[in-house]
Amino acid sequence: MKRRTLIKGALTILPTYWISKALGADSGIEAFEFAKVPFKSTWESLKNYKTPEWYKNAKFGIWAHWGPQCQPERGDWYARKMYHQGSEQYNFHIEKYGHPSEFGFKDVINEWKAENWKPDDLVSLYKNAGAQYFVALANHHDNLDLYDSKYQSWNSLKVGPKKDIIKGWADAAKKSGLKFGVSVHAAHAWRWFESSQMTDKTGAKAGVPYDGKPSKDMGNGKWWEGLDPQDLYAQKHELSLKSDDPEIIHQQWNWNNGCNIPDDEYNQQFLKRTLDLVKKYNPDLIYFDDTAFPLWPISDVGLEFASFYYNKSNKSNGSTEVVINGKILDQEQRKAMVWDIERGQSNNIEPLPWQTCTCIGRWHYDRRIFENKGYKSAKTIVHTLADVVSKNGNLLLSVPLRGDGSIDSLCKAVVEEIGDWMRVNQEGILNTRPWKVFGEGPALEAVVALDRQGFNEGKGKPFGPQDIRFTTSGNNIYAIAMGWPENGVLKVKSMGKNSPHITGNLKKVNLLGFEKDLAFNLNDTELEIKLPKIKLSLTYAYVIKISIS
């Protein structure tokens, strides 16, 4: 068995015991004897992966996509866009901090202190909202490790808040009884931070380099003395093709279309950092913001990480009890990891478990959304949850945090309302499986196809009282209706006498949160359910439990 790594057009061959030999002693990572465990670092071997039952049952997770880019409170990809002259973040940065040749993102990190971060309180809030797992940002494309990182000197214990962020989150999750995950995005820093190499094209600072290529000795007498900024920016390389086009990066996300290819030192460093993260914090889930595994197809380090992670779980649990999320996967790749769709949903019941990731606001905190009252409503989140779960998926919901680590009042209110709904209706969500059809109603006539890694969220027809999503558990079918009908009668067309989907007899019908059985009429074309005259609260979605004998 051999490992192949493509490095600037050259093909090198390394043996499969690479992790054991290269990392076993140096990294503190246990060197497993791969011959005694089932997973090798190949797609063919990793396709034997089986999603653990805890994840299939969980359905709902909450994510703290929180790090130094939240400090300016100006939205997504701040550390990249602050270096694009004329961009909204560039203009904001000039006004707040000064020119990026003099005050770069490394200096934004120094401003980030996380002084009001209370992980126990936040995770408790998330658990009360019905979340079954919690995911914390371990690093973003900005390349700062938010943990006690042996292989990245730019980490949150040495700079910024001087705190072990991941340990704080992990301890809080364990205390609350939630499964714990981490998201890892740093594989893309090489390409993503190329904007920091550039200069203004016009104006008084035209041609003056931004701070993307300072040397270590330039920090003498400054706050970052002793640190090498290139360990953060990773810019000792030529720019990718058309790198001055802010949007071209999306076409190069898979390391193609003229993207400058990372060298093997960068790839191995990423692997060491990620293995170190697993060893120290033992997460149940790792979310990769990558096409398939990190650095695939230019390197096999993502495959090597996956084999190690799965084998580590097997050794500890006797089975693979961990999850890896990845994006833009073909049907075969979805067997090796759990497919994640960003800000979008599948339009079918998927044969394998999958996940939607979305956010109440923006991924990185944007104060303007709070000021303009622009967060997604609890209604929108609940509708998304029901739709995703009906199709064999999970919802991972990012809840924005301010730079100081606090949650604002409007965002907190959304989370609390989701919890109010879940306390009444979670029986129809948690521990369920898809029914024979995922749903019915007018919204099905206006579905929108996925775009790249997702992004079909909110583009279809809004849900209304005639839209229903189905789940099942045991002898029960749950019909989740997306609104209360004006005449008080819910009509379920998928459950008429002539429906091919019903086997057995309808025993009784209940409304979750209402004590009495409901009257119903079954005819050839539909099941008519008479709802109580007094509506429950939060009836933008309610759950009918249909018992079959």
Side-chain angles (χ1 to χ4, degrees):
M1 188 63 223
K2 306 239 177 178
R3 183 180 77 89
R4 300 187 304 164
T5 304
L6 187 63
I7 308 172
K8 293 186 178 180
L11 189 65
T12 61
I13 306 293
L14 296 176
T16 53
Y17 57 79
W18 182 87
I19 291 180
S20 175
K21 288 288 186 181
L23 296 183
D26 179 50
S27 70
I29 302 295
E30 295 177 30
F32 294 134
E33 297 179 38
F34 284 0
K36 296 182 180 179
V37 288
F39 292 104
K40 300 177 182 178
S41 53
T42 67
W43 280 107
E44 198 61 33
S45 177
L46 294 171
K47 284 191 294 186
N48 294 313
Y49 169 77
K50 302 295 181 186
T51 309
E53 288 298 308
W54 74 259
Y55 186 79
K56 294 179 184 178
N57 292 332
K59 305 304 180 188
F60 183 40
I62 286 183
W63 183 10
H65 191 281
W66 175 65
Q69 289 180 82
C70 297
Q71 179 63 25
E73 300 192 346
R74 207 64 179 185
D76 294 344
W77 281 24
Y78 186 92
R80 172 176 166 78
K81 293 180 180 179
M82 60 166 277
Y83 294 108
H84 280 287
Q85 186 181 23
S87 73
E88 192 280 326
Q89 280 96 335
Y90 171 92
N91 294 334
F92 174 85
H93 190 86
I94 292 286
E95 182 178 346
K96 183 176 178 63
Y97 299 114
H99 194 264
S101 64
E102 300 165 354
F103 195 105
F105 187 69
K106 68 182 187 309
D107 302 295
V108 174
I109 291 172
N110 189 45
E111 297 276 308
W112 181 49
K113 304 303 180 187
E115 64 272 20
N116 292 318
W117 174 55
K118 299 178 180 179
D120 287 348
D121 292 350
L122 290 166
V123 173
S124 179
L125 173 70
Y126 305 151
K127 182 177 182 179
N128 288 338
Q132 303 298 295
Y133 58 107
F134 169 74
V135 177
L137 188 78
N139 52 47
H140 198 253
H141 311 315
D142 59 33
N143 217 21
L144 180 74
D145 282 351
L146 306 184
Y147 57 94
D148 184 14
S149 180
K150 182 176 181 179
Y151 299 99
Q152 170 57 301
S153 57
W154 288 81
N155 65 68
S156 62
L157 282 82
K158 293 184 177 180
V159 296
K162 307 291 181 66
K163 300 174 184 177
D164 190 334
I165 301 296
I166 291 301
K167 184 179 187 303
W169 285 128
D171 290 348
K174 183 178 181 180
K175 190 180 299 182
S176 290
L178 298 184
K179 293 289 187 177
F180 177 65
V182 293
S183 68
V184 173
H185 310 244
H188 282 281
W190 176 282
R191 171 64 183 87
W192 193 81
F193 251 142
E194 284 185 3
S195 58
S196 68
Q197 292 194 45
M198 300 180 191
T199 70
D200 286 0
K201 295 180 180 179
T202 61
K205 296 280 189 178
V208 177
Y210 301 147
D211 78 323
K213 280 194 169 182
S215 58
K216 183 177 181 179
D217 59 9
M218 293 172 64
N220 293 338
K222 298 181 180 179
W223 73 264
W224 47 278
E225 184 172 4
L227 292 171
D228 186 349
Q230 285 313 305
D231 292 339
L232 180 72
Y233 293 125
Q235 292 305 301
K236 293 180 181 178
H237 62 84
E238 297 298 319
L239 295 174
S240 298
L241 182 68
K242 298 181 180 179
S243 188
D244 58 344
D245 178 352
E247 299 303 317
I248 198 70
I249 190 173
H250 300 292
Q251 299 176 30
Q252 298 174 341
W253 204 249
N254 197 24
W255 307 103
N256 55 16
N257 296 320
C259 183
N260 186 288
I261 302 301
D263 57 34
D264 198 49
E265 179 183 359
Y266 177 86
N267 299 338
Q268 308 303 348
Q269 179 79 351
F270 173 82
L271 177 59
K272 289 180 180 181
R273 287 163 63 185
T274 312
L275 289 169
D276 185 36
L277 175 66
V278 167
K279 173 66 176 179
K280 287 176 176 168
Y281 305 96
N282 201 31
D284 303 292
L285 176 149
I286 293 188
Y287 170 112
F288 285 128
D289 191 5
D290 298 273
T291 303
F293 290 114
L295 297 160
W296 174 262
I298 61 170
S299 172
D300 286 352
V301 294
L303 299 176
E304 291 169 352
F305 171 81
S307 66
F308 184 93
Y309 188 48
Y310 291 164
N311 289 333
K312 180 178 184 294
S313 179
N314 280 348
K315 185 177 181 182
S316 299
N317 303 301
S319 61
T320 310
E321 293 297 317
V322 294
V323 173
I324 297 177
N325 294 135
K327 300 178 179 179
I328 318 181
L329 308 180
D330 63 31
Q331 293 294 335
E332 290 301 300
Q333 290 170 334
R334 293 175 201 175
K335 297 176 183 178
M337 61 201 307
V338 175
W339 181 33
D340 179 86
I341 300 175
E342 181 176 346
R343 290 192 184 272
Q345 295 101 276
S346 173
N347 291 320
N348 303 287
I349 297 176
E350 294 294 335
L352 295 171
W354 59 284
Q355 178 176 272
T356 283
C357 66
T358 191
C359 187
I360 291 175
R362 291 187 177 177
W363 295 120
H364 291 104
Y365 191 84
D366 192 326
R367 187 69 178 173
R368 294 167 295 181
I369 297 179
F370 170 77
E371 293 169 347
N372 297 325
K373 300 181 179 179
Y375 289 125
K376 286 187 179 77
S377 66
K379 172 183 176 180
T380 296
I381 299 302
V382 167
H383 283 179
T384 300
L385 176 64
D387 183 63
V388 167
V389 171
S390 74
K391 299 168 183 174
N392 205 26
N394 287 16
L395 173 63
L396 178 60
L397 179 67
S398 176
V399 176
L401 296 178
R402 298 190 65 190
D404 65 4
S406 64
I407 184 170
D408 70 45
S409 58
L410 296 182
C411 198
K412 183 179 181 183
V414 173
V415 176
E416 289 175 336
E417 186 174 323
I418 294 169
D420 292 340
W421 188 89
M422 285 289 283
R423 274 184 286 279
V424 175
N425 298 291
Q426 65 182 10
E427 182 184 338
I429 298 291
L430 306 180
N431 305 306
T432 64
R433 297 294 183 268
W435 191 45
K436 297 176 183 178
V437 293
F438 69 80
E440 64 180 56
L444 294 183
E445 301 169 5
V447 296
V448 177
L450 297 175
D451 178 16
R452 292 174 293 154
Q453 64 261 48
F455 300 116
N456 63 350
E457 177 182 84
K459 294 182 179 179
K461 187 174 182 178
F463 291 118
Q466 292 178 294
D467 292 300
I468 301 172
R469 293 295 178 265
F470 300 108
T471 62
T472 185
S473 178
N475 293 325
N476 301 314
I477 301 167
Y478 299 93
I480 308 170
M482 308 296 204
W484 197 271
E486 291 185 5
N487 64 359
V489 177
L490 177 66
K491 297 182 179 182
V492 186
K493 296 180 179 180
S494 300
M495 293 186 176
K497 288 181 180 179
N498 294 336
S499 170
H501 310 306
I502 295 293
T503 56
N505 300 312
L506 271 66
K507 184 178 179 182
K508 63 178 180 177
V509 175
N510 297 98
L511 170 66
L512 296 187
F514 186 73
E515 294 182 358
K516 298 180 181 179
D517 293 350
L518 301 182
F520 65 90
N521 177 51
L522 182 63
N523 59 44
D524 289 343
T525 59
E526 61 192 12
L527 169 64
E528 293 183 347
I529 302 169
K530 187 175 181 180
L531 300 174
K533 292 183 179 180
I534 300 176
K535 293 196 296 185
L536 302 176
S537 62
L538 306 180
T539 52
Y540 44 68
Y542 58 95
V543 180
I544 300 294
K545 179 179 180 180
I546 301 161
S547 301
I548 307 293
S549 62

